[in-house]
């Protein structure tokens, strides 16, 4: 878990020069700059080797100008451990750490709220079974990027695509791409979803706390003839989706598959589910 990242001497020198130039850091990697400003004041996991290895990974991959194919997973994969039958990101500490909790918010803003592990991406490819995946609320399009790389046909939409609109959940990213896959506005979604019978609706961390986005999208998808749903989020009463969404699932949909290999942060209860509408 604490395995050191193998970097060339030239790359290490680049990182030293970046750390020595706060102005450049802020301009090129504002999220990384925010992390490095706050993280040293927060408690780690108690394992210095794990913490140091994580610091190097987040520094390297978040300042690499998008050259890494899957920087999110590259940063967090060594943190995975098994707890109560779940794969969680906790750095080997059952209670994680304050520093990891802060890193979690930075990485969610930089990439995605949920973690698209290779196993989960493969699971989605299997259950989608060749159908087009339509992701709504795609944010930076990071999940769409990973699905596309896996060979899944995917289109992504968001009310505020971060590359063309102000999105409070995904601020300026500096050297990192603003979007990792083309993310279109909702106007195009309304046109595309006129017939949803050949598509799988994908909702990844739709907003909770009474926000109607999840139930609205599910209703529109049902009305278009759609019958397959991928949901990544927390159970009812958690941080994702609204009560009407979960009620609609109970009334008209059957849970067909869950991803047993899903990777979550230790302090979240999210998972991945595949639902099919009853005939």
């Amino acid at each position: 878990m604490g395995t050191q990242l193998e970097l060339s001497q030239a790359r290490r020198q680049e990182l030293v020069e970046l750390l020595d130039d706060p102005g450049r850091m802020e301009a090129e990697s504002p999220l990384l700059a925010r992390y490095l400003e706050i993280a040293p004041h927060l408690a780690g996991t108690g394992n210095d080797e794990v913490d140091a290895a994580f610091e190097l990974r987040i520094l390297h991959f978040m300042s690499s100008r998008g050259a890494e194919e899957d920087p999110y997973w590259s940063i967090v994969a060594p943190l995975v451990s098994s707890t109560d039958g779940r794969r969680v990101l906790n750095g080997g500490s059952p209670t994680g750490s304050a520093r990891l909790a802060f890193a979690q918010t930075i990485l969610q803003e930089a990439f995605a709220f949920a973690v698209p592990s290779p196993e989960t991406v493969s699971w989605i490819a299997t259950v989608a079974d060749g159908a087009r995946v339509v992701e709504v609320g795609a944010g930076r399009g990071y999940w769409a990027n990973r699905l596309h790389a896996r060979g899944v046909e995917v289109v992504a939409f968001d009310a505020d695509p971060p590359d063309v609109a102000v999105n409070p959940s995904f601020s300026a990213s500096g050297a990192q791409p603003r979007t990792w896959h083309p993310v279109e506005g909702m106007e195009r979604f309304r046109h595309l979803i006129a017939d949803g019978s050949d598509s799988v609706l994908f909702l990844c961390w739709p907003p909770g706390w009474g926000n109607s986005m999840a139930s609205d999208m599910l209703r529109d998808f049902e009305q278009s003839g759609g019958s397959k749903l991928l949901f990544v989020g927390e159970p009812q009463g958690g941080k994702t989706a609204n009560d009407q969404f979960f009620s609609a699932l109970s009334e008209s949909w059957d849970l067909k598959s869950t991803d047993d290999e899903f990777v979550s942060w230790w302090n979240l209860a999210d998972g991945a589910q595949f639902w099919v509408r009853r005939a």
Side-chain angles (χ1 to χ4, degrees):
M1 184 170 289
T3 303
Q4 282 291 331
L5 186 66
E6 294 294 333
L7 297 178
S8 68
Q9 187 58 41
R11 178 56 179 159
R12 288 182 177 274
Q13 183 59 36
E14 288 176 357
L15 294 179
V16 169
E17 292 174 358
L18 182 61
L19 289 170
D20 287 341
D21 190 342
R24 178 185 159 205
M25 172 74 78
E26 179 65 35
E28 295 184 1
S29 305
L31 292 172
L32 178 60
R34 189 195 313 167
Y35 175 76
L36 294 176
E37 178 184 4
I38 302 298
H41 305 288
L42 302 174
T45 62
N47 185 319
D48 291 343
E49 182 181 359
V50 167
D51 292 342
F54 176 74
E55 298 295 311
L56 182 59
R57 290 195 306 276
I58 197 170
L59 173 62
H60 168 63
F61 289 113
M62 288 193 68
S63 63
S64 295
R65 298 181 179 274
E68 174 67 22
E69 179 179 331
D70 188 3
Y72 196 1
W73 186 243
S74 296
I75 291 169
V76 303
L79 299 175
V80 176
S81 63
S82 180
T83 302
D84 298 327
R86 299 177 65 225
R87 298 175 71 206
V88 296
L89 300 172
N90 64 10
S93 170
T95 56
S97 73
R99 193 180 305 172
L100 277 183
F102 181 57
Q104 173 188 352
T105 66
I106 295 294
L107 295 171
Q108 287 174 328
E109 188 172 347
F111 303 112
F113 280 92
V115 180
S117 72
E119 294 84 358
T120 294
V121 171
S122 293
W123 173 81
I124 290 177
T126 298
V127 297
D129 194 25
R132 177 181 57 185
V133 172
V134 179
E135 183 181 7
V136 181
R140 292 197 191 277
Y142 198 86
W143 277 79
N145 170 284
R146 302 320 306 144
L147 291 170
H148 177 75
R150 181 62 175 71
V152 176
E153 181 186 357
V154 56
V155 287
F157 302 91
D158 198 278
D160 299 302
D163 59 337
V164 296
V166 176
N167 189 316
S169 296
F170 301 99
S171 64
S173 53
Q176 295 280 1
R178 291 197 176 195
T179 56
W180 295 81
H181 184 87
V183 179
E184 301 187 63
M186 294 305 295
E187 300 80 7
R188 168 69 175 153
F189 167 76
R190 306 294 179 189
H191 172 75
L192 180 72
I193 209 63
D195 178 7
S197 60
D198 61 347
S199 300
V200 180
L201 177 64
F202 180 28
L203 298 177
C204 182
W205 266 72
W209 296 288
N211 189 302
S212 66
M213 179 273 209
S215 59
D216 290 347
M217 292 301 101
L218 187 64
R219 180 200 62 221
D220 291 351
F221 186 60
E222 289 176 339
Q223 292 176 351
S224 75
S227 61
K228 297 178 181 179
L229 167 73
L230 282 161
F231 171 62
V232 173
E234 295 196 312
Q236 186 170 6
K239 300 178 180 65
T240 59
N242 58 335
D243 289 342
Q244 290 85 347
F245 169 80
F246 290 104
S247 294
L249 289 183
S250 297
E251 292 170 3
S252 305
W253 295 72
D254 291 320
L255 179 61
K256 292 296 185 180
S257 179
T258 59
D259 176 23
D260 294 333
E261 296 296 310
F262 187 81
V263 172
S264 175
W265 291 92
W266 86 96
N267 54 0
L268 299 177
D270 52 343
Q273 301 175 332
F274 178 61
W275 294 77
V276 174
R277 192 181 182 193
R278 297 182 200 124

